[in-house]
């Protein structure tokens, strides 16, 4: 496939290397200082940019009939608009808060555990997420996905990174140098606690997952998620 990379930071560079290893061609490496020249030649685009660029990137792809996979977080207030545009254009769009196979399995485990724990009021649930200091959004998109699933499957009303209340899920957000991503969910009671955790060793899993998603979405129409790619529905 011919791939357009929308965003060429550390993540984009890892995606490029793995894509080339898998026999694909890179036709565009978009940065904040370069144009979209070459996008028209792409079979699919992968967006790992920044929140204030993601909507423009995705819109540009959909308007040109190019399937787009986005792993950029922090822009989801515009997600309904992108879904509408994708439908109007008969295009293909896939958003993932995290493309790692392990994280997507972790999402499923988190949902299952939340459903079980909702029956036991003696446990209090909390979360922690740690990322590198270059990550702009807080909390991470992965943390939000985990938190929303917990809220939907328990008696909690919302999640927060501020001072927690009795009916909210508190997310402890930390930024530490060179941490690719760590997420943990803890259910604590007076007598014990249960914890599930995912620790990323590097960016390789995220990059590979985005390329697998791009390979999967090519030739399709609709709005998708990694559940579709991994057949987890």
């Amino acid at each position: 496939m011919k791939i357009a990379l929308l965003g060429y930071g550390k993540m984009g560079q890892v995606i490029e290397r793995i894509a080339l290893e898998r026999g694909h061609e890179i036709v565009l490496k978009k940065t904040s200082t370069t144009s979209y020249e070459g996008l028209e030649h792409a079979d699919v685009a992968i967006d790992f940019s920044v929140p204030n660029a993601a909507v423009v990137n995705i819109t540009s792809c959909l308007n040109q009939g190019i399937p787009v996979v986005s792993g950029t977080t922090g822009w989801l207030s515009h997600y309904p608009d992108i879904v509408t545009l994708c439908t109007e254009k008969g295009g293909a769009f896939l958003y993932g808060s995290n493309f790692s196979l392990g994280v997507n399995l972790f999402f499923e485990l988190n949902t299952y555990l939340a459903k079980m724990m909702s029956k036991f009021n003696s446990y209090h649930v909390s979360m922690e997420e740690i990322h590198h200091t270059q990550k702009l959004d807080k909390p991470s998109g992965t943390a939000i996905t985990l938190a929303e699933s917990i809220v939907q499957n328990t008696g909690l009303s919302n999640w927060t990174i501020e001072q927690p209340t009795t009916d909210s899920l508190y997310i402890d957000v930390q930024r530490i140098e060179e941490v690719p991503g760590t997420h943990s969910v803890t259910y604590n009671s007076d007598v014990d606690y249960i914890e599930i955790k995912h620790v990323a060793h590097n960016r390789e899993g995220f990059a590979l997952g985005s390329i697998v998603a791009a390979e999967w979405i090519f030739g399709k129409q609709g709005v998708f998620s990694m559940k579709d790619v991994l057949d987890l529905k």
Side-chain angles (χ1 to χ4, degrees), residues 183-232:
H183 298 84
S184 61
V185 179
T186 302
Y187 291 85
N188 193 33
S189 76
D190 291 337
V191 296
D192 59 12
Y193 76 91
I194 300 168
E195 181 182 44
I196 57 173
K197 177 184 287 189
H198 181 273
V199 179
H201 297 309
N202 50 52
R203 293 181 172 87
E204 301 278 328
F206 310 137
L208 176 60
S210 70
I211 297 167
V212 169
E215 293 168 345
W216 181 90
I217 202 174
F218 180 61
K220 293 182 173 64
Q221 287 185 331
V223 178
F224 306 102
S225 71
M226 282 301 286
K227 281 193 174 186
D228 299 297
V229 178
L230 301 175
D231 196 24
L232 294 175

Side-chain angles (χ1 to χ4, degrees), residues 54 64 94 111 117 124 145 152 167 170 176 184 208 223 227 230:
Q64 294 192 49
L94 188 153
T111 299
M117 297 304 293
H124 175 73
T145 299
Q152 290 168 7
D167 65 342
Y170 176 62
I176 300 173
S184 61
L208 176 60
V223 178
K227 281 193 174 186
L230 301 175

Side-chain angles (χ1 to χ4, degrees), residues 95-157:
Y95 167 75
S97 60
N98 195 307
F99 284 94
S100 161
L101 171 60
V103 165
N104 281 276
L105 295 173
F106 189 65
F107 286 157
E108 297 300 303
L109 176 61
N110 173 65
T111 299
Y112 187 70
L113 181 59
K115 290 177 179 178
M116 286 198 302
M117 297 304 293
S118 65
K119 303 173 184 178
F120 302 96
N121 296 329
S122 58
Y123 287 89
H124 175 73
V125 61
S126 61
M127 285 180 52
E128 178 185 76
E129 69 105 333
I130 309 171
H131 275 91
H132 50 85
T133 53
Q134 289 77 37
K135 187 164 182 62
L136 300 178
D137 52 318
K138 296 181 180 181
S140 68
T142 302
I144 292 174
T145 299
L146 292 166
E148 289 182 345
S149 183
I150 293 170
V151 169
Q152 290 168 7
N153 289 287
T154 62
L156 298 174
S157 61

